[in-house]
Amino acid sequence: MSPLSRQQLLGWGLTGGALAVAGAAGLWWGARPQGPAPRASPAPGPAAVGGGLREPDTLSSADGLLELELRAAPAEVRIGDRRAQVHAFNASLPGPTLRIRAGDTLRVRMVNGLDAPTNLHVHGLHVSPQGNGDNPFVAIGPGEAFDYEFAVPADHPPGTYWYHPHHHGHVADQVGAGLYGAIVVEDPEPLPVTRERLLMVSDLSLNTSGRLAGVSPMEQMTGREGELVLVNGHVRPELSAAPGERERWRIINACPSRFLRLHLQGQSLRLLSRDRGRFHTPVDVDAVELVPGGRVELLVETSEGTSTLVASSVDRGTMPDMMGGARPGGTGPVDLLEMTVSGNPVPALPVVPAGPVLPDLRGETVSSRRTLDFAMSGPMMGGPMMGGRGGPGGNGRPGPGGMMSFTVNGRAFGPDRTDARVQAGTVEEWVLTNSSPMDHPIHLHVWPMQVIQDGADGQAGADGQDEPGEPRWADVVNVPAFGEVTVRVAFEDFTGRTVFHCHILDHEDLGMMGTVEVG
Ligand code: CU
Ligand code: CU
Ligand code: CU
């Protein structure tokens, strides 16, 4: 935490209890005069933006162990030039960054300071789903605590992962309110870069009093997108570098629903990693797309000038006509941060060594094939989402408050029902189909997916032959509207019961989640 004088804090109206909160949260501190707080807008004016890019505190493992407490609770933070009432881990937006190594044990005492049940998911980590591991069925009531222990295998791939609550029915609200943080699994050998940055992208909407704006049933169905898009909890931060640097950016899409298509004009970008591990060879890219929950690591090789990291809008389909055909994600491009490269060039760095050869399931024997269809169907009548209020409008349209149901193979999530039984140690092929007009980014816990065919690039043979090229691994795979994607999963190392679901977190909360039991 940077040293802030009490005078400065008083100047911002932060005293007493708020001081401790704001101190841990990391204040934005462009020394600009504060006017009345305007309604948050997608493209805030200059008075609301800027300040150097800041990162949450980092907690690193030592001697194979990282032990900490994460308290999920309401917190007051500064976003742009205004105070905001959010929910945060340890009063920090994002929560602390956890840096561990393969083979480590991560122990987290999760304390629920919210007024709703919650729990914790370590997104992307290949760890046991049982007991007090990465168990999405745990419920921590308000005022309660739960001790998690995640034993990270010695051969766990390095990479950028993250943590967030995962209690069904509350996930979009809690992540959307600010409950998220990064997990970094360190490389066995550091890469030759001049600097590493963590960029956790999130979005939220605030009302004029700085509280989280309510979310309408239509926004839930399309998947909520916040008006403010933040990087490490800040609006359009600034960063600087010298020419010739090679920075490693770890970017996490922690937005509940927003897809990010990122550009950084004027700088050279290479994709080092997507979701986990790293590519054998970094790939030159002009833009990268991150679905909700997705991560990329970029090598940014700097050239003199000023560049803006822009998230352009992504077409992720439409709501069905019966629901008015609303289009999600129509907010247009958003500037995420500004980078100024100036000064004396730095000396050239050694080349980035090749990464390990990635595992490949294309030659493996598949023991079972399943089709999982992700769908949206007519308004849910009288269900808990509607409080029994809605009803059809007489012309096939839902009445006020009418919600569609979001299903996997025709059924909404049932925590006690097992949707897929898998024999431990086998490789399965899953055909993920989408019979709805919206994209659904599908996430499987614990075991990563290798994309075998996505039908998008025309590479797959008509006879169903596999895609050529380097194996593509991901833990969130976008299944486009009315499209399908085939993945293979090696259900190795662990047994137990967990979930797969749409990572548009509103869709997950509305039922688009299934269970898988491996044993
Ligand atoms: Cu996740
Ligand atoms: Cu979805
Ligand atoms: Cu999940």
Side-chain angles (χ1 to χ4, degrees):
M1 186 58 210
S2 308
L4 291 175
S5 73
R6 182 162 178 84
Q7 201 53 47
Q8 280 173 302
L9 292 164
L10 287 169
W12 284 319
L14 298 164
T15 55
L19 188 139
V21 167
L27 287 160
W28 170 85
W29 52 359
R32 294 185 173 89
Q34 291 167 38
R39 165 107 184 141
S41 76
V49 303
L53 177 74
R54 309 200 51 193
E55 292 191 17
D57 290 344
T58 296
L59 303 171
S60 301
S61 63
D63 300 326
L65 178 67
L66 177 57
E67 203 163 6
L68 69 143
E69 181 174 295
L70 283 177
R71 182 179 161 79
E76 182 175 281
V77 298
R78 255 197 120 71
I79 295 176
D81 63 356
R82 46 197 310 215
R83 275 176 275 166
Q85 314 296 325
V86 299
H87 291 169
F89 283 115
N90 298 358
S92 170
L93 190 73
T97 299
L98 313 182
R99 293 192 84 109
I100 56 176
R101 310 189 77 89
D104 283 353
T105 297
L106 173 61
R107 273 191 208 133
V108 180
R109 160 157 282 213
M110 169 90 163
V111 181
N112 183 357
L114 308 169
D115 59 9
T118 191
N119 64 15
L120 190 68
H121 169 47
V122 284
H123 182 128
L125 287 190
H126 180 57
V127 293
S128 171
Q130 295 195 32
N132 65 343
D134 187 23
N135 182 344
F137 304 104
V138 165
I140 310 171
E144 294 175 3
F146 187 83
D147 292 314
Y148 286 95
E149 183 167 310
F150 309 102
V152 181
D155 60 353
H156 196 287
T160 305
Y161 305 90
W162 64 300
Y163 59 89
H164 61 81
H166 208 294
H167 190 284
H168 178 65
H170 299 275
V171 186
D173 279 348
Q174 293 181 358
V175 174
L179 292 165
Y180 42 77
I183 300 172
V184 172
V185 179
E186 308 273 9
D187 298 279
E189 298 292 335
L191 291 188
V193 295
T194 48
R195 192 184 281 119
E196 191 174 308
R197 301 187 195 267
L198 174 79
L199 307 173
M200 198 158 203
V201 182
S202 64
D203 62 359
L204 49 68
S205 295
L206 298 172
N207 62 25
T208 47
S209 56
R211 296 188 177 277
L212 294 161
V215 178
S216 71
M218 185 55 82
E219 287 173 287
Q220 286 176 277
M221 288 187 283
T222 54
R224 69 187 70 188
E225 295 198 11
E227 293 170 326
L228 289 169
V229 186
L230 309 177
V231 178
N232 297 346
H234 301 283
V235 179
R236 220 164 85 199
E238 293 157 2
L239 55 88
S240 55
E245 292 208 59
R246 181 192 294 143
E247 299 196 345
R248 178 189 200 165
W249 291 10
R250 299 176 183 270
I251 309 177
I252 302 170
N253 184 357
C255 300
S257 313
R258 183 185 290 268
F259 287 39
L260 300 169
R261 185 173 169 79
L262 303 178
H263 314 252
L264 183 69
Q265 240 173 30
Q267 308 297 332
S268 126
L269 304 181
R270 282 188 291 163
L271 187 59
L272 182 68
S273 164
R274 181 179 285 284
D275 285 3
R276 67 199 315 266
R278 45 177 291 219
F279 298 137
H280 181 62
T281 315
V283 188
D284 289 323
V285 288
D286 294 323
V288 284
E289 194 167 314
L290 283 95
V291 293
R295 293 87 62 210
V296 291
E297 294 179 17
L298 291 175
L299 294 173
V300 179
E301 285 167 317
T302 56
S303 306
E304 189 150 351
T306 300
S307 301
T308 306
L309 182 68
V310 177
S312 57
S313 60
V314 177
D315 177 9
R316 57 183 181 90
T318 54
M319 284 291 285
D321 285 345
M322 61 174 297
M323 300 300 290
R327 287 195 87 80
T331 52
V334 180
D335 293 352
L336 294 185
L337 61 77
E338 203 144 280
M339 180 184 199
T340 304
V341 180
S342 63
N344 295 325
V346 303
L349 291 166
V351 294
V352 176
V357 174
L358 295 172
D360 193 344
L361 302 179
R362 284 173 291 192
E364 298 282 321
T365 303
V366 168
S367 67
S368 186
R369 286 188 167 81
R370 299 172 199 271
T371 298
L372 298 168
D373 184 52
F374 296 86
M376 299 151 62
S377 56
M380 220 156 69
M381 312 296 282
M385 290 307 305
M386 295 173 53
R389 281 176 293 117
N395 55 359
R397 298 175 70 92
M403 295 292 255
M404 309 201 69
S405 61
F406 287 72
T407 57
V408 184
N409 286 354
R411 295 196 283 195
F413 178 60
D416 301 323
R417 186 185 69 230
T418 296
D419 296 304
R421 287 183 194 280
V422 172
Q423 199 187 331
T426 62
V427 174
E428 292 211 352
E429 185 166 286
W430 289 11
V431 181
L432 311 174
T433 64
N434 181 347
S435 52
S436 83
M438 289 182 72
D439 290 12
H440 299 296
I442 303 304
H443 173 47
L444 169 65
H445 288 207
V446 182
W447 296 276
M449 298 175 275
Q450 183 183 350
V451 177
I452 301 298
Q453 256 190 57
D454 66 5
D457 54 9
Q459 299 278 6
D463 55 354
Q465 273 177 8
D466 302 340
E467 281 193 19
E470 269 210 72
R472 289 162 55 199
W473 288 92
D475 55 48
V476 191
V477 170
N478 191 45
V479 186
F482 299 119
E484 75 174 51
V485 176
T486 303
V487 299
R488 286 187 186 178
V489 182
F491 287 94
E492 54 197 9
D493 302 329
F494 303 108
T495 58
R497 204 159 166 275
T498 190
V499 292
F500 54 89
H501 59 88
C502 180
H503 216 288
I504 291 178
L505 297 175
D506 286 297
H507 293 178
E508 188 267 281
D509 283 333
L510 291 170
M512 195 175 272
M513 177 153 71
T515 56
V516 52
E517 180 155 9
V518 180

